[in-house]
Amino acid sequence: MLETIWFLLWGVLWAIYFVLDGFDLGLGTLLPFLARNEQEKRIIYNAMGPFWDGNEVWLITAGGVTFAAFPKTYAVMFSGLYTALMLLLVALIIRGVSFEFRSKVESPAWKALWDGCMFVGSFLPALLLGVAFANIFKGIPIDENGVFQGNIFTLLNPYGLLGGVLFVLLFLEHGALWLAFRTEGDLQLRSGLVAVKVWPIKVVVAVLFLIFSAVTTKLYANYLVYPVLFIVLALPLAGIFMSRIYMAAHSWLKAWVASAVTIAGTTLFGVIGIYPALLPSSLNPAYSMTITNSSSSPLTLKIMLGVALTFVPIVIAYQFWVYKTFSHTLTAKDLEYEEAY
């Protein structure tokens, strides 16, 4: 029972991370294409600025839960996917440094350098996370000893790449909607238009992903045994259509919330589909890392549950305060503050 609770918490933490960090990864990717001058670039930076590092707390939490609750899965994941995870880490570091260093020198070349780093450090994590999770859904070639029988190119299979493209599109739309909500005037119109243009492409890729999932994975097995679980799949589908309705009405915050439901629902759809495995093996199901063969002791899981029930609500309350305090409409006046990016 405790293993199942922590498995569900593991999936929920990843879903929260994708929802929160997804919009600033999308905004960083859109930066070179949306901003037409220095003021618009700074507005985009400040639309992400107060939130991005807090959002990544959930990435650390999800990784920490994997380490503490399922240490064998953590060991297999971080040794087998070492190259991909190092690329992800380097990209996130470059991105974080861009926030801090860009405004230190008043030089167009210096700012262009860090704008390029922001783009790479935002696009690459979105793509890699999509590739990684699609491969987890499909199954990773791990043998009976938990050794990864492949390399980074093994992960770049058609289904993995389709997952990467889907994540990039989800985050692009999510970021564009956040910017439309936070801005006004021409920049708001252009970011809203980007979200509208991304939407049909995202729908096509999402449908292809669902079809490929039925052909190349066993994600639907749990759903066919327990049809009530299809309610989870209804979440992203409802989010997709509601976001388009709200876009048409220019209700950008509601469209962003619907986009968040789409991202969270997509993540939970995959996580529930692979239960009880955390890392399914594509070589033999018996080699999979599951909640039973890779979890910590019951005492450890009990202690962790007590800690999580105490501190996670505090973190949620703090982040709610941050979002409520800093989610006002950005104008040129906001760029005059010393703390502005």
Side-chain angles (χ1 to χ4, degrees):
M1 183 63 181
L2 277 171
E3 293 89 347
T4 298
I5 291 173
W6 273 107
F7 177 87
L8 293 175
L9 286 174
W10 176 77
V12 169
L13 287 171
W14 278 111
I16 293 173
Y17 168 67
F18 291 143
V19 167
L20 294 183
D21 211 27
F23 79 80
D24 58 57
L25 290 173
L27 267 182
T29 306
L30 286 172
L31 176 71
F33 311 103
L34 261 180
R36 290 179 175 173
N37 52 49
E38 174 63 14
Q39 178 174 304
E40 290 188 351
K41 287 179 182 177
R42 291 191 63 199
I43 285 179
I44 292 177
Y45 272 92
N46 283 278
M48 307 181 269
F51 313 108
W52 72 272
D53 46 357
N55 294 341
E56 292 190 0
V57 166
W58 296 100
L59 173 63
I60 298 169
T61 306
V65 164
T66 312
F67 170 75
F70 306 103
K72 290 182 182 176
T73 295
Y74 181 90
V76 172
M77 181 184 294
F78 278 76
S79 58
L81 307 181
Y82 183 79
T83 304
L85 290 171
M86 282 303 295
L87 280 173
L88 174 65
L89 182 61
V90 170
L92 290 175
I93 290 173
I94 290 173
R95 183 164 165 271
V97 173
S98 301
F99 278 104
E100 303 301 328
F101 278 25
R102 185 181 186 276
S103 60
K104 300 300 181 187
V105 178
E106 288 301 324
S107 159
W110 176 265
K111 292 182 184 298
L113 168 67
W114 293 111
D115 289 343
C117 290
M118 172 59 71
F119 169 75
V120 173
S122 300
F123 171 75
L124 201 55
L127 182 70
L128 288 173
L129 286 166
V131 170
F133 268 79
N135 275 282
I136 290 173
F137 296 161
K138 174 176 175 287
I140 292 175
I142 48 178
D143 64 17
E144 66 272 27
N145 297 314
V147 177
F148 179 62
Q149 300 295 321
N151 53 49
I152 190 168
F153 296 106
T154 307
L155 304 177
L156 301 179
N157 53 74
Y159 183 70
L161 290 172
L162 187 63
V165 172
L166 178 61
F167 266 50
V168 169
L169 291 170
L170 286 170
F171 292 170
L172 283 179
E173 183 191 271
H174 205 42
L177 290 172
W178 180 256
L179 190 63
F181 162 61
R182 294 294 313 280
T183 56
E184 57 187 6
D186 189 46
L187 184 57
Q188 183 188 52
L189 289 175
R190 275 186 277 126
S191 54
L193 186 59
V194 166
V196 170
K197 287 183 176 178
V198 168
W199 187 86
I201 305 171
K202 179 193 72 174
V203 171
V204 171
V205 173
V207 170
L208 286 175
F209 187 78
L210 288 173
I211 295 171
F212 266 68
S213 296
V215 174
T216 63
T217 77
K218 297 178 180 177
L219 281 185
Y220 291 96
N222 286 336
Y223 293 88
L224 294 174
V225 175
Y226 303 102
V228 69
L229 291 175
F230 275 107
I231 292 173
V232 178
L233 184 56
L235 282 176
L237 296 177
I240 286 173
F241 289 106
M242 290 308 296
S243 65
R244 187 63 186 86
I245 291 171
Y246 288 131
M247 282 183 218
H250 288 198
S251 297
W252 303 118
L253 178 58
K254 291 179 179 177
W256 184 84
V257 172
S259 170
V261 171
T262 303
I263 294 172
T266 302
T267 308
L268 293 176
F269 163 71
V271 168
I272 291 173
I274 61 173
Y275 178 84
L278 291 106
L279 276 184
S281 171
S282 60
L283 301 179
N284 187 333
Y287 303 156
S288 300
M289 292 288 107
T290 69
I291 62 170
T292 51
N293 68 13
S294 70
S295 67
S296 296
S297 68
L299 178 60
T300 302
L301 296 179
K302 281 182 184 176
I303 294 172
M304 286 177 58
L305 194 58
V307 172
L309 290 174
T310 303
F311 288 101
V312 169
I314 296 173
V315 174
I316 292 173
Y318 172 73
Q319 284 214 302
F320 178 77
W321 175 81
V322 170
Y323 273 80
K324 186 178 179 183
T325 303
F326 295 101
S327 294
H328 57 276
T329 301
L330 284 167
T331 64
K333 189 177 179 180
D334 292 289
L335 306 181
E336 296 174 2
Y337 293 109
E338 187 178 347
E339 296 82 6
Y341 291 94

